Amino acid sequence: MKLTSLGSGSKGNSLLVSAKDGFTETTVMFDCGFGIREMQRRLERAGRFPADLSALIVTHEHGDHAGGVLAFARRYRIPVWMSYGTFQSLGKDFSGMDVNFCRDGDSFVVGGLQISAFTISHDAREPLQFHMTDGAMKFGMLTDTGQVTPHIANALSGCDALMVECNYDDRMLEKSAYPFYLKKRISSVYGHLSNSCAGEFLAQVDHSRLKKVIGAHLSQNNNLPELAREAIEEVVDAGRTEIVVAGQDDGFEWTEIA
Ligand SMILES: [Zn+2]
Ligand SMILES: [Zn+2]
């Protein structure tokens, strides 16, 4: 299994996961938070075409995740997966398209990937995050949650690779020029994970198989890649576990979980 991010942060998110099943490769896209031209450009940079995508899976309705979903999936006839709550919140006309609903606890198969949904704690209608396996490796993703519930820790235990939100540094957020209500929203249990929360999560979850950690969804105003990396390094053994930090413009390059 391998993955790449086309961009990660509050200005747009999209993640590709590829798995080989015999000679055929399945690639699924999680979220499409960029406009159609920008998506094409970023996909091309990752060496993929829209026709390579077997599914577009949407985590929740916020613009940085779902802003480009309808236009992109419609133009390239890509099957879409999302919760019914996300579908309703988007309130867009998906008629004639291949739309599939999933909810907390559901698993579904796309080519060589089995993908499982779990609920998180975020100010959206029915937000989901996912873990998946190609039969050998388990990858889990966790962004856009204000807290790590026992349910989340349970869903993500025993992963070979984890992508975890490192949205903000506590001190940088506190000192930032953001209005009080926004600071409250970001740091609430329905907001985003801080570097220190990401570290606590990594320490608490079963990380015995963990080979790779990706820090993601960093705030461009309230965080620095070095601070996110430090928080991860504090709890995982950097000698045994590769640490990657995703960027808004560059995401991160294809990386194999093996
Ligand atoms: Zn987001
Ligand atoms: Zn969100």
Side-chain angles (χ1 to χ4, degrees):
M1 196 185 334
K2 59 180 188 175
L3 43 144
T4 184
S5 166
L6 306 183
S8 178
S10 58
K11 294 196 174 77
N13 295 275
S14 189
L15 176 79
L16 302 182
V17 180
S18 271
K20 278 223 168 96
D21 184 18
F23 290 109
T24 49
E25 186 174 63
T26 308
T27 302
V28 299
M29 174 182 277
F30 289 90
D31 290 333
C32 181
F34 302 99
I36 201 153
R37 286 233 178 117
E38 189 58 22
M39 279 309 297
Q40 287 162 340
R41 191 182 72 79
R42 287 174 186 248
L43 252 186
E44 217 166 282
R45 192 175 66 189
R48 291 292 184 284
F49 296 102
D52 298 327
L53 303 175
S54 300
L56 170 44
I57 300 159
V58 189
T59 59
H60 63 298
E61 66 271 26
H62 291 163
D64 56 326
H65 299 264
V69 169
L70 179 64
F72 191 76
R74 188 184 284 284
R75 173 161 325 167
Y76 297 110
R77 299 170 185 270
I78 303 167
V80 179
W81 292 83
M82 61 183 141
S83 70
Y84 189 65
T86 296
F87 172 75
Q88 283 202 313
S89 251
L90 283 170
K92 292 198 169 135
D93 180 10
F94 282 85
S95 55
M97 295 170 65
D98 183 356
V99 176
N100 307 270
F101 297 120
C102 55
R103 55 169 24 148
D104 177 56
D106 282 354
S107 286
F108 53 97
V109 172
V110 181
L113 279 170
Q114 185 180 19
I115 301 166
S116 305
F118 58 94
T119 193
I120 49 164
S121 177
H122 193 50
D123 55 358
R125 182 87 160 259
E126 191 186 351
L128 296 171
Q129 290 286 306
F130 298 89
H131 61 86
M132 64 217 69
T133 180
D134 60 356
M137 295 289 149
K138 179 181 177 184
F139 164 65
M141 50 193 266
L142 181 65
T143 70
D144 299 78
T145 188
Q147 62 180 336
V148 177
T149 60
H151 183 64
I152 293 172
N154 187 44
L156 294 179
S157 75
C159 280
D160 296 277
L162 275 170
M163 184 175 87
V164 58
E165 171 164 54
C166 295
N167 190 274
Y168 62 94
D169 170 72
D170 294 303
R171 231 179 304 161
M172 283 182 76
L173 179 65
E174 202 184 296
K175 284 189 183 159
S176 85
Y178 279 21
F180 181 69
Y181 79 87
L182 195 51
K183 291 183 185 180
K184 274 286 249 211
R185 199 224 128 208
I186 292 167
S187 60
S188 83
V189 294
Y190 296 110
H192 293 275
L193 285 187
S194 65
N195 293 342
S196 56
C197 289
E200 277 167 33
F201 160 64
L202 290 169
Q204 153 201 0
V205 75
D206 168 13
H207 56 262
S208 53
R209 292 172 56 95
L210 200 58
K211 298 159 190 71
K212 201 181 293 276
V213 177
I214 299 150
H217 212 305
L218 272 71
S219 164
Q220 288 186 301
N221 299 311
N222 303 316
N223 208 355
L224 294 168
E226 308 84 271
L227 296 175
R229 182 179 288 275
E230 262 171 39
I232 297 169
E233 272 172 354
E234 251 177 57
V235 284
V236 305
D237 178 358
R240 277 185 47 209
T241 309
E242 187 195 355
I243 300 168
V244 175
V245 177
Q248 179 67 78
D249 294 329
D250 303 336
F252 57 85
E253 287 183 9
W254 283 107
T255 182
E256 183 99 36
I257 311 166

